[in-house]
Amino acid sequence: MPLAACATTGAAAWSAHTPGSAATVDHRAWQLFLDRHSFTGADGVTRVAYAEVPVTDRELLDQYVAGLQQVAVGRLDRAEQLAFWLNLHNALMVRVVLAHLIARSPDDIDLGGPFASGPWTATLTEVAGRPVSLQAIRTEALRPVFRDPRWHYGLCDATLGGPSLPRTAFHGATVDRALEDAAIAYINHPRAIRIEADALVLNAFWRRYRGDFGGTDAAVLDQIASYADRELRAELHPGRPIRWIDDRRLNEWPGT
């Protein structure tokens, strides 16, 4: 059952935690949605059959998000908090696309908000009475609390170029291993990194979040190397020119 709402507000709302807490969050509804509507293509990229989601499963997603609104995040331990934020972000991202099925890219969805280009800064829900946007999850809940850039690999922005939507809901007990697997899967996929004769081709994902990966191209390459397979790792020379790519098309299942 959802935990009771926590009264903490302000910046401290997301930094507070309860070490050793046995409290968990129920993510079964999100897992059911993923089982029914997400698919991994032959290219290894997960897509969502957005147009085929029935009203009943949209309501299921709404109910799941409503339950997360009531969670007392400060009563969770760190691992459970991390799983909570990753699942909430991805569920909100899917819900936004479901409300804008005409969009060919999430960047085309303008929900307003400061410097709006896409749905990133718009308030999409509340948690413990505090407004939450997709960007706020990254910049307020994850970045200042979890000083480990692996959480980026667990967040789906609904594009084909970014990290895939995880088809298994995150849980505190297994979130560390899940993020390791997500990092390995993304880094070793050609949509993220390609070696060409004249350049190292990197997805602009790392340029957008360079600050979280060390702040320099060299630091980014070091982080990538820790998850790259042997052949790719051998090609990650700091002096090699970098060319950036970015596939911002929606991660919709073909035919939807």
Side-chain angles (χ1 to χ4, degrees):
M1 296 294 292
L3 302 175
C6 179
T8 307
T9 58
W14 310 143
S15 60
H17 72 294
T18 304
S21 172
T24 60
V25 181
D26 188 349
H27 298 294
R28 287 178 295 178
W30 177 229
Q31 185 61 62
L32 182 59
F33 184 95
L34 292 170
D35 290 342
R36 289 175 173 173
H37 305 296
S38 68
F39 306 89
T40 302
D43 59 2
V45 179
T46 299
R47 294 168 169 83
V48 180
Y50 295 107
E52 298 178 11
V53 177
V55 171
T56 52
D57 283 356
R58 292 187 183 214
E59 293 173 347
L60 175 71
L61 190 57
D62 289 342
Q63 291 166 7
Y64 171 66
V65 172
L68 296 187
Q69 289 178 327
Q70 306 305 315
V71 170
V73 180
R75 297 181 187 173
L76 305 175
D77 68 13
R78 280 288 185 240
E80 196 69 23
Q81 285 181 343
L82 180 55
F84 169 88
W85 290 117
L86 295 172
N87 288 329
L88 176 59
H89 176 283
N90 293 340
L92 290 175
M93 187 73 252
V94 168
R95 197 166 69 154
V96 165
V97 176
L98 286 172
H100 300 82
L101 292 178
I102 297 177
R104 297 295 89 187
S105 167
D107 297 327
D108 298 335
I109 301 172
D110 185 359
L111 301 182
F115 311 105
S117 175
W120 321 114
T121 61
T123 296
L124 300 179
T125 189
E126 293 185 351
V127 175
R130 182 177 172 84
V132 170
S133 67
L134 295 169
Q135 179 172 290
I137 291 175
R138 290 182 186 266
T139 61
E140 297 177 16
L142 292 173
R143 180 174 294 149
V145 175
F146 302 93
R147 300 182 180 277
D148 178 346
R150 292 181 307 159
W151 54 260
H152 280 289
Y153 299 112
L155 298 181
C156 177
D157 66 358
T159 68
L160 291 178
S164 283
L165 177 68
R167 297 198 63 219
T168 300
F170 290 103
H171 297 277
T174 55
V175 66
D176 185 75
R177 180 68 257 175
L179 289 179
E180 287 283 292
D181 292 343
I184 292 169
Y186 185 65
I187 286 171
N188 292 284
H189 193 281
R191 78 187 188 283
I193 304 174
R194 295 200 309 268
I195 306 298
E196 297 188 355
D198 62 336
L200 174 64
V201 181
L202 297 182
N203 195 282
F205 161 82
W206 284 291
R207 183 172 59 182
R208 281 192 295 277
Y209 304 116
R210 184 189 279 124
D212 294 323
F213 291 98
T216 66
D217 289 346
V220 167
L221 293 181
D222 283 344
Q223 203 278 336
I224 289 173
S226 63
Y227 294 101
D229 62 30
R230 182 178 301 177
E231 291 184 5
L232 176 58
R233 190 163 57 247
E235 299 289 344
L236 298 176
H237 308 308
R240 186 191 291 268
I242 294 176
R243 182 156 53 85
W244 301 98
I245 57 172
D246 206 1
D247 187 347
R248 302 296 295 173
R249 290 177 296 167
L250 186 68
N251 64 339
E252 57 183 345
W253 185 246
T256 63

